[in-house]
Amino acid sequence: MGRGRPEPAGSTGTVPGRRAFVAHVHRLRRNPGATVVVDVHGVVADLAVAGVAVPDGAEAGLTGSLASYPGGIEVTGRVRAPWRAACRRCGAPIDGMVDTEVRERCVPGGPASGDEEAYELADELDLEPLVRDAVLLALPLAPLCRETCAGLCPECGADRNVAPCGCRPPADPRWSALDALAGPGGGDPPLPA
Ligand SMILES: [Zn+2]
Ligand SMILES: [Zn+2]
């Protein structure tokens, strides 16, 4: 987008409170075609889905660029944030990192402008909603401590990653319930054994 060197638009340090993600875009909006770098980070409250969360006090950040076009501003870059979760199989704590690419439009009126995927653009550009959505979308849905995690034994609760516990796999109770339902005279004839 080269119109000379990008100049900083967003705050480059940690600003307390919600202002951390606000970029000042007055000049940028007056210059369609111009691009500035953006580097904002701060604490975003309640970044969590289904047991996977950005730890309290940990920061999310966006680095990239803001490009002005006649209808608004396009944000491109990377969103990063640390996350913590419990392994879905064994419960062991896991730490990970969201690192995801974003490319979003910000227009006056936001979704109400008719561009339902666009973010709100006012005199200032608050990038927090964009960062929040990007992190929530990128958090893992079923994190495992490792792909081969053997999980906990459903019989005795032992961590089978540590040592086999020797339990035999139980007969699946769902099938015995079905057997009972399919008793004499009811439902389909039982399958031959
Ligand atoms: Zn595990
Ligand atoms: Zn066991």
Side-chain angles (χ1 to χ4, degrees):
M1 305 256 186
R3 275 259 218 120
R5 262 204 333 207
E7 52 187 275
S11 54
T12 48
T14 302
V15 181
R18 293 183 49 80
R19 305 291 296 167
F21 290 94
V22 170
H24 303 283
V25 292
H26 254 100
R27 275 180 55 201
L28 183 62
R29 291 191 66 193
R30 287 204 305 269
N31 291 290
T35 298
V36 296
V37 298
V38 66
D39 181 359
V40 289
H41 51 91
V43 173
V44 179
D46 302 323
L47 277 182
V49 289
V52 184
V54 175
D56 283 347
E59 292 191 342
L62 163 69
T63 55
S65 63
L66 309 178
S68 183
Y69 65 95
I73 288 177
E74 186 182 60
V75 181
T76 54
R78 306 192 75 84
V79 166
R80 294 186 181 85
W83 56 263
R84 187 164 295 160
C87 172
R88 277 298 159 92
R89 291 186 193 151
C90 75
I94 321 170
D95 289 309
M97 197 76 190
V98 163
D99 186 348
T100 186
E101 288 188 18
V102 291
R103 185 184 192 91
E104 304 288 351
R105 292 178 304 280
C106 305
V107 303
S113 69
D115 183 347
E116 289 180 10
E117 310 228 308
Y119 288 87
E120 174 69 36
L121 170 62
D123 286 343
E124 295 176 327
L125 174 56
D126 184 358
L127 293 159
E128 182 176 323
L130 187 158
V131 170
R132 161 182 292 279
D133 289 351
V135 172
L136 289 176
L137 272 174
L139 287 173
L141 289 175
L144 298 176
C145 61
R146 56 181 185 272
E147 283 303 315
T148 56
C149 173
L152 302 181
C153 172
E155 291 296 290
C156 72
D159 185 345
R160 293 185 295 200
N161 294 309
V162 176
C165 58
C167 296
R168 291 166 169 276
D172 192 323
R174 286 172 299 178
W175 294 115
S176 39
L178 284 179
D179 288 348
L181 283 176
D188 298 328
L191 294 171

